[in-house]
Amino acid sequence: MMRILVTDGMDQQAVSQLRANGHEVVEQFYEPDQLGAALREFDAVVIRSATKIRAPHIEQAKGSRLKLIIRAGVGIDNIDVADAEAAGIAVRNTPGASSAAVAELALAHMFSCARYVSIAGHTMREGKWEKKAYSKGVEICGKTLGIWGYGRIGMALARMAHGLGMTVLVNNRSGKTAGPDDPAKWVPVDELLAQADFISLNMPSIEAKPLINRESIAKMKDGVILINTSRGSNIDEDALLDALNSGKVRAAGLDVYAEEPTKNEALYQHPAVSCTPHIGAGTREAQGRIGMEIVEIIESFG
């Protein structure tokens, strides 16, 4: 049986299942300067986005009982995977469990940006009735959605958008869609940028440079709406702010930020920004699926 550390919270049904299976589960968050030593005392660790396991932590844990790191979610950029695997520590994630939840949040931000839902609600809480200002929204039906990055989340979003009457263009590294029944059409990046009324980022973190920067924004339609539920580093926030202020970008729906918690007040206070605090996978259903997938990973780990 395994001793398992859960640092950032986990579905309690899954925790109960692990304990019923005979495992010891410790739910505790460790600050970065304490994490490496703590990892030595466990066979496996389950993290979400708050905990970052970097090379120094792995170096401290090397040679100990730690054999498995599980990211409860899709992205594993908060783990130095190569260092972990070199130290004989396996890295796993739960890529399929939260796809619908993240896609639905991306769609929610699309509606919020198109119809001023976030800012109009905010002004009402301030006692204002700005009907005229916020009666200039746009409809989603008949518009073109560009999905940059076309994995499980992108495919889920494409199906939803198609059902709402949108034309869906996608770009990914493989250069193809999911097959003949896929509602999306693959196009080169520059064509996606030029044609899309809405652009949703669904790519993992790119180290070289942000996907959305001054160069890529210049290629977009005037009045485009940008959505990011992937990684904050995929957007140059200064470039986005300038584009919002100029009107080149009509609005942005953001769930992720270059720094989290974000300190970019100019961005999250901007009236054209619909923002949420990295809650893409934050549904009861998704967390339940993630928890059960973690149980399966642990039980099948050799």
Side-chain angles (χ1 to χ4, degrees):
M1 296 297 103
M2 300 176 73
R3 189 165 190 254
I4 303 162
L5 173 64
V6 177
T7 64
D8 303 329
M10 182 174 163
D11 179 72
Q12 287 303 299
Q13 272 193 305
V15 171
S16 297
Q17 185 63 59
L18 287 170
R19 287 173 175 157
N21 292 354
H23 302 292
E24 180 185 356
V25 181
V26 176
E27 298 180 83
Q28 183 174 342
F29 177 80
Y30 286 92
E31 295 295 339
D33 60 344
Q34 301 173 326
L35 181 61
L39 292 176
R40 297 185 61 84
E41 306 302 319
F42 295 91
D43 301 290
V45 56
V46 179
I47 68 172
R48 292 172 66 180
S49 57
T51 296
K52 296 172 176 56
I53 300 182
R54 298 304 184 197
H57 303 128
I58 294 165
E59 183 64 29
Q60 282 184 276
K62 191 189 303 184
S64 70
R65 62 193 292 179
L66 184 67
K67 292 294 179 284
L68 176 63
I69 300 170
I70 303 175
R71 166 69 164 92
V74 180
I76 53 175
D77 50 295
N78 55 334
I79 304 167
D80 284 344
V81 177
D83 294 277
E85 292 178 343
I89 302 168
V91 178
R92 301 286 186 270
N93 64 345
T94 61
S98 58
S99 299
V102 179
E104 285 185 6
L105 183 64
L107 190 61
H109 276 297
M110 288 168 59
F111 277 113
S112 181
C113 290
R115 297 302 305 272
Y116 303 106
V117 174
S118 179
I119 184 61
H122 177 76
T123 57
M124 285 190 69
R125 286 190 289 275
E126 294 179 335
K128 300 175 183 177
W129 185 261
E130 300 190 358
K131 179 175 180 177
K132 180 178 285 189
Y134 301 125
S135 294
K136 301 173 183 177
V138 296
E139 296 179 6
I140 282 178
C141 181
K143 300 299 191 299
T144 297
L145 169 63
I147 301 177
W148 199 348
Y150 201 52
R152 292 176 177 87
I153 295 168
M155 289 178 188
L157 179 59
R159 292 191 295 271
M160 295 174 190
H162 178 72
L164 290 167
M166 300 189 82
T167 297
V168 182
L169 306 178
V170 302
N171 180 274
N172 58 6
R173 293 170 182 169
S174 70
K176 59 184 180 181
T177 59
D181 296 328
D182 194 316
K185 176 186 176 183
W186 190 94
V187 296
V189 167
D190 283 356
E191 186 174 339
L192 183 151
L193 295 175
Q195 293 190 16
D197 303 294
F198 295 76
I199 295 174
S200 176
L201 298 183
N202 298 100
M203 291 278 280
S205 181
I206 305 299
E207 293 182 7
K209 63 178 181 178
L211 295 171
I212 302 300
N213 53 28
R214 297 183 192 282
E215 180 183 358
S216 58
I217 289 172
K219 297 175 181 178
M220 298 175 190
K221 280 186 176 182
D222 292 345
V224 66
I225 292 175
L226 299 180
I227 308 295
N228 189 16
T229 57
S230 59
R231 285 293 179 265
S233 57
N234 283 338
I235 289 185
D236 178 335
E237 292 182 350
D238 290 338
L240 175 59
L241 269 170
D242 287 346
L244 288 166
N245 289 331
S246 72
K248 174 69 176 182
V249 173
R250 175 189 176 92
L254 306 175
D255 186 50
V256 290
Y257 309 88
E259 179 185 8
E260 296 185 359
T262 180
K263 297 181 178 65
N264 193 341
E265 187 173 353
L267 188 63
Y268 68 74
Q269 293 276 18
H270 199 286
V273 171
S274 172
C275 53
T276 46
H278 203 151
I279 59 171
T283 66
R284 287 176 292 179
E285 295 87 348
Q287 291 306 308
R289 290 191 296 268
I290 288 170
M292 288 303 106
E293 192 166 339
I294 289 168
V295 172
E296 292 174 7
I297 291 169
I298 288 172
E299 296 307 329
S300 64
F301 184 70

